[in-house]
Amino acid sequence: MESRIKNTKRNLVSGFLRQGANILLPFLTRTMVLYLLGAKYQGLSSLFHSILHVLNLADLGFTTAIVFVLYKPVALDDHESICAILAYLRKIYWIIGAVFLLGGLFVMPFLPSLISGSYPQDLNIYLLFFIYLIDTSLSYMLFGYKSVLLTAMQRDDVVNNIYTFSSTLLRIAQVIILFIAKDYMLFVALMPLCTLLNNFLTQYFANKFFPHLKPLGQIDKTTKEKIMRQVKGIVVDRIGDTARNSMDSIFLSAYLGLTTVAIYDNYYYIYSALYGITLMIINAMQASVGNSIVKESVEKNYRDLFKFTFIFEWICGWMAICMCCLYQPFMALWLRDAKMIFPNYIMVMFCLYFYLITMNNTRNLYTSGAGLYWEMRVWYIIEAIGNIVLNATLGYFYGVTGIILATIITIVLFNFIARNAVLFAHYFKCSSREFYVKHGTYALITIVNGGITYFLTRLVPIDGFIGFIIMIVLCAIIPHLLYYLAYRKSDSYQEMVAFVKTVIKVKH
């Protein structure tokens, strides 16, 4: 238990550093692109990232499946099995990289048809997209499997620190390029160089910490069948996630053009930065939860799910409240252009989107740890189809509002309700009623908390940067105080306090 908490704690520290760099530095380069080059450049970048995310389905979920399969041999210290699985993954990664590259080359001729209106005429969009394509292909084909080993060994801190270092160098170099040359093509061309550095460092440190774990041998038939069974389930999960997270920009570009994509992406950037923090916490815990599922009883993991859900609700509820109170004032300070700011009701929809998706994350810890991808395959497919159909129809008739509404509907129906039902039926083997009651209570308290905090922040009489700072201070205090008043006498609160004390006491 202490070892799992120690690894989670170490992964969390490095994860926060990584996420800090992943928020602040891209924000700087994004701002410079918007100010120096214009919104259409940023819209083009968002579109290409979305297309690449769709192409990344070539992974088919092998990464997640391999991590799951590695939990048991890692827990049992079975070095021979670990080495054989790594050899298998290395071969698979080369295939994925090649398929990804070919898929991207196939898409290239159709790029203009995915853009409504004009795009920057000084750019060769085919060459630009090819650079993005090479960057992602290299991440698989060059030692990519080593990061999977580090994750399975509960050493995400190493992966995080390498990424923080290489991405920081990239952003600094990009800032210099924008200042001196204002050349977007050169700005993007630095990305593959960063990926090369990141992968070589991953290879070096994986060999340093685990020199005895090499890609050698062949996996047995049982292990291969186990991996393929998980892949069959995960691939449809990835299709669902891709449909929800990447199709938005593609539909917006086709319907409304690159400027609307840029505005949407600015809001999505804030959402994804905060979501990335929550995901970093979950990723830091994933290997430990997987280890717990292998070693501990179902009853203990059931209690842990509720404990982690309460902790996460407090954190994510607070984040959603901060988003609702600070989104528009921040956008006004950052962009200084009313045309680049969405109406308040769209902003609230982003906050709801954030809260709903993050409240699935603790559940995902246990569905991933228990390897329930195959059992959820039908719901993954339904979610993917539902989101694409809703995006296409609601987006066509209602624009940005329709796109976000489509995502919210699919999250509630096919992610939250359906996936919870599968987890409780197949792993916990009990009713999910208590889980839904807890979530409903948490959501109601968060809505009341958010309403009070929003009202108080709007009473701030000072505009501009000083007023924004005052709002931040209010958001840092009021929601936590209200949560404390609501929860202080509950068993969940006492369990959270005890758990936090345990984490603090465990030596790093």
Side-chain angles (χ1 to χ4, degrees):
M1 174 66 177
E2 182 171 311
S3 175
R4 289 198 292 267
I5 292 177
K6 179 179 178 181
N7 287 328
T8 298
K9 185 177 177 181
R10 181 169 54 195
N11 292 341
L12 277 174
V13 172
S14 64
F16 275 118
L17 291 174
R18 171 175 177 161
Q19 192 61 22
N22 213 25
I23 293 172
L24 297 176
L25 295 173
F27 175 76
L28 176 60
T29 54
R30 172 185 293 265
T31 303
M32 292 183 66
V33 168
L34 287 169
Y35 281 16
L36 298 177
L37 301 177
K40 289 187 177 181
Y41 287 84
Q42 186 57 49
L44 202 57
S45 174
S46 302
L47 174 62
F48 286 174
H49 275 117
S50 295
I51 295 171
L52 292 175
H53 196 195
V54 173
L55 289 174
N56 214 26
L57 286 171
D59 183 299
L60 295 179
F62 271 100
T63 300
T64 307
I66 294 292
V67 170
F68 168 74
V69 172
L70 279 170
Y71 286 150
K72 187 172 182 179
V74 167
L76 299 176
D77 228 13
D78 183 356
H79 294 168
E80 183 178 349
S81 294
I82 295 172
C83 292
I85 292 171
L86 286 178
Y88 180 71
L89 182 61
R90 181 174 63 176
K91 180 174 67 175
I92 291 297
Y93 263 26
W94 267 94
I95 296 173
I96 291 170
V99 171
F100 184 91
L101 187 60
L102 291 174
L105 292 174
F106 175 79
V107 169
M108 281 177 65
F110 304 99
L111 291 177
S113 64
L114 296 176
I115 302 171
S116 175
S118 63
Y119 56 85
Q121 294 302 305
D122 61 322
L123 289 179
N124 183 329
I125 61 171
Y126 303 104
L127 177 58
L128 185 68
F129 181 76
F130 184 72
I131 296 173
Y132 277 97
L133 192 61
I134 289 294
D135 178 50
T136 306
S137 296
L138 285 175
S139 67
Y140 282 106
M141 301 178 78
L142 194 66
F143 308 127
Y145 67 96
K146 289 290 188 177
S147 64
V148 178
L149 170 64
L150 291 168
T151 295
M153 299 300 290
Q154 301 183 45
R155 291 308 306 268
D156 262 332
D157 60 307
V158 178
V159 178
N160 290 333
N161 291 336
I162 292 170
Y163 177 85
T164 301
F165 173 74
S166 59
S167 63
T168 299
L169 287 182
L170 170 66
R171 300 301 177 180
I172 291 172
Q174 287 182 322
V175 166
I176 293 172
I177 290 297
L178 283 177
F179 261 126
I180 295 175
K182 296 184 177 62
D183 188 326
Y184 190 71
M185 193 70 75
L186 188 57
F187 172 90
V188 173
L190 293 172
M191 290 163 45
L193 298 178
C194 171
T195 298
L196 287 172
L197 175 63
N198 186 85
N199 284 25
F200 276 117
L201 288 175
T202 301
Q203 159 79 348
Y204 171 78
F205 283 103
N207 289 342
K208 178 181 178 181
F209 288 114
F210 306 106
H212 54 291
L213 299 178
K214 304 286 187 182
L216 298 171
Q218 291 188 338
I219 60 174
D220 56 56
K221 183 179 179 181
T222 302
T223 303
K224 185 176 289 189
E225 289 176 351
K226 190 175 182 181
I227 291 172
M228 294 310 298
R229 179 178 174 83
Q230 295 302 324
V231 166
K232 289 175 184 177
I234 295 169
V235 65
V236 286
D237 173 33
R238 289 177 63 85
I239 292 171
D241 286 345
T242 300
R244 186 180 64 243
N245 298 328
S246 298
M247 297 304 292
D248 294 0
S249 293
I250 296 175
F251 277 112
L252 284 173
S253 175
Y255 288 154
L256 301 171
L258 292 177
T259 300
T260 301
V261 173
I263 300 171
Y264 177 90
D265 195 55
N266 288 335
Y267 279 82
Y268 190 83
Y269 176 77
I270 304 301
Y271 155 88
S272 62
L274 294 176
Y275 182 66
I277 294 174
T278 69
L279 207 58
M280 176 271 301
I281 298 172
I282 289 298
N283 289 339
M285 298 170 63
Q286 185 64 76
S288 296
V289 170
N291 184 272
S292 177
I293 287 174
V294 171
K295 292 185 174 182
E296 308 288 354
S297 68
V298 173
E299 290 75 17
K300 181 186 182 304
N301 285 306
Y302 181 83
R303 294 193 302 272
D304 284 348
L305 170 64
F306 279 83
K307 176 174 64 182
F308 295 146
T309 297
F310 176 77
I311 295 172
F312 226 66
E313 189 281 333
W314 188 308
I315 295 170
C316 297
W318 169 64
M319 286 183 173
I321 292 169
C322 289
M323 288 173 69
C324 191
C325 296
L326 302 175
Y327 236 139
Q328 300 295 63
F330 176 77
M331 289 298 180
L333 285 172
W334 177 28
L335 302 172
R336 302 176 183 178
D337 185 353
K339 294 179 180 179
M340 296 292 289
I341 299 175
F342 282 141
N344 282 340
Y345 70 89
I346 293 182
M347 175 274 292
V348 172
M349 292 178 71
F350 266 102
C351 300
L352 181 60
Y353 175 11
F354 173 84
Y355 181 80
L356 290 172
I357 195 66
T358 54
M359 290 315 297
N360 287 297
N361 282 345
T362 51
R363 188 272 326 278
N364 291 341
L365 278 172
Y366 289 87
T367 54
S368 297
L372 296 177
Y373 306 108
W374 179 249
E375 288 76 6
M376 292 194 179
R377 64 193 183 281
V378 173
W379 292 111
Y380 293 151
I381 295 171
I382 292 173
E383 180 179 356
I385 295 172
N387 192 257
I388 291 173
V389 171
L390 288 172
N391 262 333
T393 54
L394 295 179
Y396 179 80
F397 288 107
Y398 302 107
V400 177
T401 304
I403 292 291
I404 304 176
L405 183 60
T407 301
I408 290 172
I409 292 171
T410 53
I411 289 173
V412 173
L413 294 181
F414 311 127
N415 195 311
F416 182 72
I417 295 176
R419 297 192 194 187
N420 284 341
V422 173
L423 174 64
F424 280 86
H426 289 272
Y427 178 65
F428 293 121
K429 300 184 186 303
C430 65
S431 171
S432 57
R433 182 177 180 276
E434 183 184 3
F435 195 62
Y436 289 125
V437 170
K438 290 286 187 182
H439 270 288
T441 304
Y442 298 154
L444 181 61
I445 292 172
T446 297
I447 291 170
V448 174
N449 190 341
I452 294 172
T453 306
Y454 184 87
F455 173 75
L456 292 175
T457 55
R458 290 309 176 268
L459 294 178
V460 174
I462 305 172
D463 294 328
F465 182 74
I466 300 300
F468 183 68
I469 295 298
I470 295 173
M471 289 182 186
I472 291 177
V473 173
L474 291 175
C475 288
I477 298 172
I478 295 171
H480 293 302
L481 178 60
L482 294 176
Y483 272 140
Y484 171 74
L485 293 174
Y487 295 132
R488 69 189 187 283
K489 294 183 179 180
S490 68
D491 293 338
S492 297
Y493 177 77
Q494 302 304 324
E495 290 177 2
M496 180 184 75
V497 171
F499 177 75
V500 171
K501 287 181 179 178
T502 302
V503 171
I504 292 173
K505 288 179 181 178
V506 174
K507 293 183 179 179
H508 182 67

